[in-house]
Amino acid sequence: MELAQTVARLDQWLKEHAPGDFRQLAPPAEPALVTAVAENRFEPHPDVRSWLALHDGSALDPTPAAGAFVPTDFPLLGAVGMSVGLREMEEEVARALEEDEAEYVVGVTADVRWLPVAMNHTGGQLVVDHREGPGFGAVLELDPSIDVNGVKRWDSLSHLFDSVLDALVHGTPVATASGARSFPRIEDTGNSLPHVVWDIYYG
């Protein structure tokens, strides 16, 4: 399904079932910010541009637990956050080249064409691969805390949103980078608006 259509359905589902997450969806990013997200290093993937044209991330207020409805518990970055993340990627690659560690870093834990699009509370990241080749546009996961380096999670941002929507509506599990299964549920403690959390099952 086209990304815009999927996100429209996702918005409606969150509004009805997880209003805490729905309230965290930012309005569209300013067109100038979308254009500058990769700072002229490369042209952002159409899915990235489409997402930012709908919502400038899913953490309008960074304090609440809500907004992390992408498994497992990833808030989506806005245009500024993506730009900052890309600069940090470039700095890490430059450091690795200077210290003769490129083989352990470039294309493994960082790359100048990996555009961060989400970050969770443990420092894990989802990045959209902008390297030329068959993996162009794929969403990869990086999380040094669990030794995950550039593991492909989805074919594209469109595929990511399709799988999230399918999981929320039908309870379809989403595979994690480590091969476990994650299932969504609505958390409603009464202290905040209901929001999506992901439970992980191994084996």
Side-chain angles (χ1 to χ4, degrees), residues 18-184:
D21 291 312
F22 180 74
R23 286 184 61 178
Q24 286 288 76
L25 290 168
E30 293 291 333
L33 291 176
V34 177
T35 299
V37 71
E39 301 184 343
N40 297 318
R41 269 68 162 183
F42 49 82
E43 181 68 21
H45 189 278
D47 279 0
V48 173
R49 299 180 68 94
S50 294
W51 162 248
L52 292 174
L54 297 167
H55 295 294
D56 194 17
S58 68
L60 188 60
D61 179 352
T63 303
F69 54 81
V70 171
T72 44
D73 303 322
F74 279 102
L76 288 152
L77 298 171
V80 172
M82 291 182 190
S83 295
V84 170
L86 181 60
R87 286 197 295 270
E88 291 175 348
M89 282 277 173
E90 293 170 340
E91 290 169 2
E92 179 61 13
V93 168
R95 181 203 61 78
L97 292 170
E98 183 177 339
E99 298 178 6
D100 199 26
E101 295 180 353
E103 64 180 302
Y104 307 110
V105 173
V106 180
V108 181
T109 62
D111 198 281
V112 296
R113 283 184 170 261
W114 283 353
L115 181 65
V117 294
M119 180 177 291
N120 65 19
H121 67 282
T122 66
Q125 297 184 78
L126 298 178
V127 302
V128 173
D129 192 352
H130 284 77
R131 297 173 298 180
E132 294 181 1
F136 176 72
V139 179
L140 315 178
E141 183 172 348
L142 309 168
D143 193 341
S145 71
I146 55 174
D147 200 29
V148 167
N149 295 319
V151 175
K152 181 180 174 180
R153 293 287 305 278
W154 294 278
D155 293 334
S156 63
L157 268 183
S158 291
H159 183 206
L160 179 157
F161 286 118
D162 285 341
S163 70
V164 170
L165 183 63
D166 190 40
L168 294 176
V169 174
H170 302 293
T172 308
V174 179
T176 69
S178 61
R181 295 182 301 162
S182 56
F183 292 85

